[in-house]
Amino acid sequence: MNIYFSENVKRFRKERDLTQETLADFLGVSFQTISKWERGESYPDISFLPVIAEFFSALLGVDKSRNENEILRIIEEYDNLTDLKRKHEIMLEATEKYPNDFRLQLRRMWDLAFNHNGEDYKEQLPKIKTIYSNIQNNCKIDSIRICSKRYLAAYYSTISEYENSGITFDDCEKIIDEMPYMRDGQEFLRSYLFPHGTDEQKNYSMEAVEEAIGLLCAGLSHLFGVTDETNDIDMLITARETEINMLNSFYNDGNYGTAWRNIIYACGYVGYLYVKKGDLKKGLEYFTKEAKLAKRFDSLDRITVMHSLFFEGKEFDKHTLGSTFVASSSVKTLLEEKYPLSDEFKAMPEFKEIISMLN
């Protein structure tokens, strides 16, 4: 055992402004254990040294530089997946191997908060708060710190509805109050601060428009409560059809970029609402649109170039929606299992033809 181990642990911990408690949480030991290490009263088992070394990067002579390419590969694989079980496995393994990378810790926080059943909150909450505290206290990258706030606020909002969770919506609101306004986001800052007339400024402006469209779709959904079927059905249809018309205006070349899911699912939901209202013909019309859009998306190459007025020349990588996302199978599941359609409606030849199109 290196005789300078105690001094190294204490020095590296203080250089990173870590408390003994924070370090103990990440290493899975008690803060009393950390205190004993620093006083030289005890030492960790030799099998534990790689974990400590990775946490401090350079501790005990381990090479200070991480395998950046490996971390980037893990992040790309994780971000492209829609298989939640596989995402969980990847990030659990990654954060054990690289426990001090905040990009991975942020994704681990998401995994704990949103990749589990709500009933698991008592087990997940302490882990989530530990990661959040470490990011807020030690990460210098604002985008990661702000994103972790968003994750925690969303998680608090969910578990505040559980009895005896110890979390109220006030806890969520306190975090929201600390968040920046939309105009302070990097997409919009780049769109009007980069030198005008340059390719970079044009590309960033298109990204800002796409981000705004996504936020607008979400805002309309919340404004009208479009999934709350206790609302007036005609209002819900109007709200969704307005969204569809807006997307068709912005993406008039038929490539919906990051809004593919929005247009596909909006058409399907409007179809369901028309069927519920009793207008079967209109319902089948929208279900057909949904199915055709799904087939079109699946037929796209991974990288395509958009040619609408607003996005001329912009590249779209369909894997940004998940490398395993297959629209046809998702829509087929919605039509056959998720939408509460009657057996009589599903027996109609027109409906069976739509299902056949998706097979």
Side-chain angles (χ1 to χ4, degrees), residues 10 42 75 82 165 194 222 225 239 254 282 306 327 332 345 358:
K10 188 173 184 179
S42 66
I75 289 173
T82 53
S165 69
F194 264 69
H222 297 308
K282 202 73 173 177
M306 302 165 70
K332 187 170 183 289
F345 180 81
L358 294 167

Side-chain angles (χ1 to χ4, degrees), residues 206 209-210 213 250-251 306 308-314:
M206 288 191 287
V209 172
E210 277 216 292
I213 290 172
F250 277 99
Y251 300 97
M306 302 165 70
S308 66
L309 173 64
F310 299 96
F311 302 110
E312 176 60 47
K314 187 177 187 300

Side-chain angles (χ1 to χ4, degrees), residues 156-253:
Y156 277 176
S157 176
T158 299
I159 67 173
S160 66
E161 300 177 5
Y162 287 86
E163 189 176 355
N164 300 321
S165 69
I167 299 296
T168 69
F169 189 77
D170 288 342
D171 297 304
C172 171
E173 191 170 20
K174 288 176 184 176
I175 300 174
I176 294 174
D177 289 341
E178 298 173 357
M179 299 287 277
Y181 293 100
M182 283 191 286
R183 60 175 173 266
D184 297 321
Q186 58 178 279
E187 294 91 349
F188 299 100
L189 287 173
R190 284 172 172 159
S191 72
Y192 60 77
L193 293 182
F194 264 69
H196 283 245
T198 63
D199 290 339
E200 290 87 349
Q201 188 265 339
K202 177 184 176 182
N203 290 330
Y204 286 135
S205 295
M206 288 191 287
E207 287 183 10
V209 172
E210 277 216 292
E211 179 71 6
I213 290 172
L215 293 173
L216 181 57
C217 289
L220 288 172
S221 176
H222 297 308
L223 176 64
F224 291 100
V226 294
T227 57
D228 184 354
E229 295 184 28
T230 62
N231 288 330
D232 179 75
I233 194 167
D234 289 321
M235 181 197 73
L236 295 177
I237 290 173
T238 300
R240 277 299 198 188
E241 288 185 328
T242 299
E243 177 185 348
I244 292 169
N245 292 334
M246 177 194 72
L247 292 175
N248 283 327
S249 296
F250 277 99
Y251 300 97
N252 60 358
D253 65 333

Side-chain angles (χ1 to χ4, degrees), residues 97-109:
K97 186 174 183 180
Y98 302 107
N100 56 329
D101 188 277
F102 291 114
R103 295 164 296 181
L104 297 178
Q105 286 296 326
L106 181 67
R107 286 162 174 79
R108 174 65 173 148
M109 183 179 175

